[in-house]
């Protein structure tokens, strides 16, 4: 796993810097090695961004680093242009910020998707998953600031077979738990970020359309 110095924080720039400290040695003229667990996590992060993980670690990290840097720097204002479309899905929204939850629901409904939620409580989301056929759950990793989104993702996946897309401003938490997610969108995000991530998950077969 990622080393214990990677702590949850609202400063995604600091967390990206820590990921760089962990992996940038791969890009040196004499590449540094990484542990087997770090390689597994690197591959998991690559797959959720639809990057080819069947390459040397240095090549995987080079491309993933560019994606993470771009997403961390992105803002909703840079949200112009066409977005990929997918067949209508039933999508669960679990987000404890009411404004972000409302905006996210508007984006999904406008794109033709059905929405279950929003929920801010993991227990309510689990109950709803037993009552609805859900194609994909969009889950904030740090629900109420305590990481409950991770436990919820495990329950949705293991109990109901629901794939999860993490929404997070915490790059370290997203990296540590990449193996639980079919997709990842870093905050702050815009409409294109969300819909493009859903389209990638559908195209990869991780989400059945």
């Amino acid at each position: 796993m990622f080393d214990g110095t990677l702590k949850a924080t609202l400063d995604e720039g600091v967390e990206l810097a820590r990921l760089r400290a962990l992996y940038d040695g791969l890009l040196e003229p004499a590449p540094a090695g990484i542990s087997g667990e770090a390689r597994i996590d690197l591959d998991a992060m690559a797959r959720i961004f639809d990057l080819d993980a069947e390459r040397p670690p240095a090549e995987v990290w080079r491309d993933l680093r560019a994606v993470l840097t771009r997403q961390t720097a992105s803002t909703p204002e840079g949200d112009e242009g066409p977005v990929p479309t997918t067949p209508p899905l039933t999508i669960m929204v679990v987000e404890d910020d009411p404004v972000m939850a409302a905006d996210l629901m508007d984006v999904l409904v406008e794109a033709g998707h059905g929405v279950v939620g929003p929920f801010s409580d993991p227990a309510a989301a689990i109950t709803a998953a037993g009552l609805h056929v859900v194609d994909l759950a969009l889950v904030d990793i740090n629900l109420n600031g305590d990481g409950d989104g991770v436990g919820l993702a495990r329950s949705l996946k293991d109990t109901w077979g629901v794939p999860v897309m993490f929404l997070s401003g915490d790059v370290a938490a997203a990296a540590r738990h990449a193996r639980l997610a079919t997709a990842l969108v870093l905050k702050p995000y815009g409409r294109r970020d969300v819909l493009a991530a859903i389209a990638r998950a559908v195209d990869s077969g991780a989400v059945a359309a």
Side-chain angles (χ1 to χ4, degrees), residues 8-63:
T9 173
L10 294 178
D11 186 348
E12 64 269 16
V14 170
E15 297 307 331
L16 180 56
R18 288 178 177 175
L19 285 178
R20 288 173 176 167
L22 183 60
Y23 288 111
D24 274 359
L26 294 169
L27 306 180
E28 296 293 329
I34 57 174
S35 70
E37 283 295 311
R39 176 62 198 264
I40 290 170
D41 287 340
L42 180 67
D43 290 351
M45 284 189 290
R47 281 191 291 272
I48 63 176
F49 284 107
D50 199 27
L51 298 173
D52 179 11
E54 302 299 322
R55 296 178 293 164
E59 293 182 20
V60 175
W61 173 241
R62 181 197 63 212
D63 294 347

Side-chain angles (χ1 to χ4, degrees), residues 183-208:
L184 168 66
V185 175
L186 297 176
K187 298 179 180 179
Y189 54 75
R191 173 175 174 271
R192 284 175 59 196
D193 296 321
V194 174
L195 297 181
I198 292 172
R200 284 198 305 270
V202 170
D203 290 345
S204 71
V207 174

Side-chain angles (χ1 to χ4, degrees), residues 18-190:
R18 288 178 177 175
L19 285 178
R20 288 173 176 167
L22 183 60
Y23 288 111
D24 274 359
L26 294 169
L27 306 180
E28 296 293 329
I34 57 174
S35 70
E37 283 295 311
R39 176 62 198 264
I40 290 170
D41 287 340
L42 180 67
D43 290 351
M45 284 189 290
R47 281 191 291 272
I48 63 176
F49 284 107
D50 199 27
L51 298 173
D52 179 11
E54 302 299 322
R55 296 178 293 164
E59 293 182 20
V60 175
W61 173 241
R62 181 197 63 212
D63 294 347
L64 183 59
R65 188 181 192 273
V67 170
L68 290 172
T69 300
R70 184 172 66 249
Q71 276 217 262
T72 302
S74 70
T75 63
E77 285 74 16
D79 208 23
E80 303 295 330
V83 296
T85 58
T86 59
L89 303 171
T90 299
I91 299 177
M92 175 180 285
V93 173
V94 188
E95 168 61 71
D96 59 6
D97 182 315
V99 174
M100 294 190 79
D103 288 345
L104 191 54
M105 289 183 66
D106 287 345
V107 167
L108 296 173
V109 170
E110 183 181 322
H113 301 299
V115 179
V116 177
F119 302 101
S120 59
D121 176 44
I126 285 292
T127 299
L131 300 174
H132 302 271
V133 177
V134 177
D135 299 308
L136 175 67
L138 309 189
V139 177
D140 180 4
I141 288 183
N142 288 323
L143 291 171
N144 301 311
D146 59 10
D148 274 357
V150 173
L152 172 60
R154 287 196 182 98
S155 295
L156 289 172
K157 187 175 180 180
D158 295 344
T159 304
W160 302 110
V162 176
V164 172
M165 183 170 90
F166 277 142
L167 310 172
S168 181
D170 183 347
V171 177
R176 285 197 303 271
H177 303 291
R179 280 175 273 181
L180 282 174
T182 61
L184 168 66
V185 175
L186 297 176
K187 298 179 180 179
Y189 54 75

